[in-house]
Amino acid sequence: MNISYKAQKYLILFGFLTLPVALLCAFSLYPAAALFYFSLTDWDGLGYDQSWVGLANYKEIFMRPEIFGAFKNNLYYFGGGLVQTAIALYFAVILNGRLKGKYAFRVMLFLPYVLHSVATVIMFKNVYHAEYGSLNVFLGAIGLESWQQMWLGNPHLVNFSLAFISMWKYFGLSMVIFIGALQSIPKDLYEASTIDGASSWQSFRFITLPSLRSVIELMLVLTLTGALEAFDIPYIMMLGANGTSTFVTQTVNMAFKFNNSGLASAMAVVLLFIVLLFIVIQRKVLFREGR
């Protein structure tokens, strides 16, 4: 049987696309549609008894301050993410230059990202412990007893302490991304700037930063989404106690602790739209085309 070239092309495309599209529908599109449907029902997440409540779950989210107000704790992770991004860029510039042992430093700084979140939390529990924690012991050893704190017991410090753990864990990933971007910048630009008498700061400002514009945009998007979706570190460390609950922590508790999967689904949908909204605002305001 002779098949035309055009028909063969469409058959090949159909054959290669069938499985990915099927997997996309099965594990992404259908669960997303089901999530939106469940958000309009009163469902305990266990049986088949799902009563239709319409937009009542969404109204409850905005009317209960303990639910929507949890976003204030996400701000700690966003602020920490911005600081982490700036420090990661600084170290990436240093470790991309001519520094002895730079590959060993890269490995050491990247290792925290490889560690599992549970192992990281267990380690920092021993760092932050009020009595025998290494941080308070170190402060006492150098004569700064007045700086010793209950890092996890003080409600004014606990979210800063948890945000620092997140910074420490994801710092290596940000640094590696920046190093990869720095290595793609042509060396001729720096050589030409040196010949023209430009200083290191001028080269960084007028060559490095403009060349990293798209990467910095990516890092800010990752920082924003990561802050809005912060969950593992505060949940494993504190289980949401002492005012550390984030919006995702509230969502998980609503679904599995209070068995209100309908309201939890609505919270997940709200979080999705908030993430998309902030990403659009960020791209339009901070990184407008042609700016």
Side-chain angles (χ1 to χ4, degrees), residues 243-262:
T244 60
S245 291
T246 62
F247 192 78
V248 177
T249 303
Q250 295 275 35
T251 304
V252 172
N253 287 336
M254 192 63 65
F256 301 105
K257 184 177 180 180
F258 302 108
N259 293 328
N260 193 342
S261 294

Side-chain angles (χ1 to χ4, degrees), residues 157-172:
L157 292 176
V158 61
N159 284 302
F160 288 103
S161 302
L162 297 179
F164 178 80
I165 300 175
S166 181
M167 290 172 55
W168 182 83
K169 178 174 176 59
Y170 295 102
F171 167 82

Side-chain angles (χ1 to χ4, degrees), residues 1 13 19 24 26 31 38 53 57 63 69 74 86 112 117 135 147 160 179-180 225 251 257 259 263 270 274:
M1 180 176 64
L13 290 175
L19 181 59
L24 176 66
F38 293 142
V53 296
N57 288 327
M63 292 178 63
N74 294 82
S117 296
L135 179 55
W147 289 23
F160 288 103
I179 289 177
T225 56
T251 304
K257 184 177 180 180
N259 293 328
L263 182 58
V270 168
I274 289 176

Side-chain angles (χ1 to χ4, degrees), residues 131-148:
E131 296 181 8
Y132 58 80
S134 57
L135 179 55
N136 280 343
V137 171
F138 172 75
L139 292 174
I142 62 176
L144 295 176
E145 290 85 358
S146 61
W147 289 23
Q148 293 177 337

